[in-house]
Amino acid sequence: MPTRFGYTLMTEQAGPKDLVRFAVGAEEAGFDFEVSSDHYFPWLSSQGHAPYAWSVLGAVAHATERVELMTYVTCPTVRYHPAIVAQKAATLQILADGRFTLGLGSGENLNEHVVGQGWPSVADRQDMLAEAIEIIRKLHTGDLVDFRGEFFQVDAARIWDLPDTPVPIGVAVAGDAGIETFGPLADHLIAVEPNAGLIESWNAQEGTGTIDGEKTRAIGQIPISWGPDRDAAVERAHDQFRWFAGGWDVNADLRTTAGFAAATQYVTPDDVAENIPCGPDLDRIVDAVKPYWEAGFTDVALVQIGGETQDEFLREAAPELLEKLRTASN
């Protein structure tokens, strides 16, 4: 199975109309799929945006014809009730003519705190996510659902508009405990590091490996900062993407853009350039992506940093980059 390469609709760095235009451009450039972040806040104020991902994806579903679409990722536990996520996902699958995958995760305080419900512990967040997936699965049967769980209640709910193609669910996990919990509940694995052991553990579970004859997917993501001027590309990556340096254990708990700015104040441009391929060298980007397919990822989504760079990237770099990635991965 050849590796598939995707484009990230980064809602933190562009407004809704621009994101739809980028989605069309990414399809024309030859990307296989497109993923969208789902944030209420950007990571850093310099990114400057946070439109509602589900409205954007609905527009993208109508503006595109071929690319698969995915949330990467939605948290269905605090800001959204899982019954509402089930309805949104079913509707989007209809609009996308079966091209949508629901990517789920346990969330970050940055986005979930806005509804004033507090920020649960890690253990509770994991249990809440598992319960939310159970609710979404029940509602996607089309049956009338009553549910009383530890965290959620659903009263006589039903999804009236169901797609002909069921909505696949991917879940973001980072270790064996997450695999044990979510492997039996999800269709696909989502991860942000090229960890072969994670994929091996996922595929070793009973019942995983294929869905209706199709191989289950391991979907990764990697930031890049392509641009004709390497120094400018490094500076842009430092300005807008240095937040990654805290790691997910820290990032999940920070509450505001000010918190991310403070936590990353000592991250230098050189630190960023060591972790993110920057500049015009497409072969360097290929080398950075290579560990993902070597680890067994079936899908890798690229994040081109900088909203103002997307049109040039899609026009000038993406077609050749995709050709190089496909040649190298095969």
Side-chain angles (χ1 to χ4, degrees):
M1 180 178 179
T3 308
R4 294 158 22 104
F5 297 99
Y7 173 80
T8 299
L9 298 166
M10 197 75 174
T11 60
E12 299 89 331
Q13 65 180 17
K17 288 187 176 181
D18 285 338
L19 288 165
V20 176
R21 188 178 79 254
F22 300 156
V24 173
E27 182 175 66
E28 292 174 348
F31 283 97
D32 300 304
F33 66 101
E34 299 178 6
V35 304
S36 174
S37 55
D38 183 2
H39 275 220
Y40 201 92
F41 270 66
W43 301 104
L44 294 164
S45 296
S46 57
Q47 291 179 312
H49 295 275
Y52 185 52
W54 291 86
S55 297
V56 172
L57 283 168
V60 168
H62 264 249
T64 59
E65 297 178 356
R66 174 188 56 80
V67 285
E68 295 186 17
L69 305 175
M70 182 179 185
T71 49
Y72 200 100
V73 292
T74 283
C75 175
T77 59
V78 181
R79 185 168 38 126
Y80 306 137
H81 190 284
I84 305 305
V85 174
Q87 183 190 32
K88 293 192 291 189
T91 298
L92 188 51
Q93 185 69 305
I94 293 170
L95 292 171
D97 294 321
R99 293 181 284 136
F100 176 64
T101 295
L102 177 61
L104 299 175
S106 57
E108 299 95 21
N109 196 10
L110 180 71
N111 305 300
E112 308 308 315
H113 79 271
V114 298
V115 294
Q117 298 298 310
W119 184 231
S121 68
V122 173
D124 280 349
R125 296 200 301 267
Q126 297 291 303
D127 291 343
M128 291 170 74
L129 179 57
E131 193 170 291
I133 295 172
E134 182 182 356
I135 291 169
I136 292 168
R137 293 288 199 195
K138 288 179 180 292
L139 285 166
H140 281 178
T141 65
D143 294 337
L144 190 70
V145 174
D146 285 286
F147 183 91
R148 301 291 185 276
E150 182 179 356
F151 303 101
F152 301 108
Q153 178 173 326
V154 179
D155 290 334
R158 178 185 174 188
I159 305 299
W160 288 86
D161 289 278
L162 285 173
D164 294 332
T165 303
V167 180
I169 293 177
V171 177
V173 301
D176 289 340
I179 289 173
E180 183 177 350
T181 299
F182 297 110
L185 301 176
D187 301 310
H188 304 300
L189 169 69
I190 296 171
V192 294
E193 295 181 357
N195 184 337
L198 194 67
I199 295 175
E200 290 169 3
S201 296
W202 179 273
N203 290 336
Q205 295 180 108
E206 184 178 355
T208 63
T210 61
I211 303 170
D212 296 331
E214 297 294 327
K215 184 178 180 181
T216 61
R217 295 160 63 184
I219 306 158
Q221 187 182 60
I222 182 172
I224 65 172
S225 185
W226 175 87
D229 183 326
R230 183 178 184 276
D231 290 341
V234 171
E235 180 55 37
R236 184 174 63 249
H238 177 259
D239 179 54
Q240 296 194 21
F241 231 80
R242 67 184 184 277
W243 57 267
F244 76 89
W248 288 108
D249 288 343
V250 174
N251 291 349
D253 287 324
L254 294 177
R255 192 167 180 263
T256 64
T257 54
F260 277 91
T264 59
Q265 61 182 313
Y266 298 115
V267 178
T268 68
D270 286 343
D271 294 331
V272 173
E274 288 179 4
N275 289 275
I276 296 174
C278 298
D281 189 345
L282 298 183
D283 290 328
R284 185 162 183 262
I285 296 174
V286 172
D287 288 341
V289 180
K290 183 179 179 181
Y292 284 85
W293 70 69
E294 289 184 335
F297 280 81
T298 60
D299 302 71
V300 186
L302 308 181
V303 183
Q304 165 63 9
I305 298 171
E308 75 283 1
T309 71
Q310 303 301 309
D311 289 316
E312 184 181 16
F313 167 72
L314 292 170
R315 181 180 63 250
E316 303 294 336
E320 183 180 355
L321 175 58
L322 286 168
E323 182 178 353
K324 285 177 174 289
L325 286 167
R326 289 176 178 134
T327 298
S329 63
N330 290 331

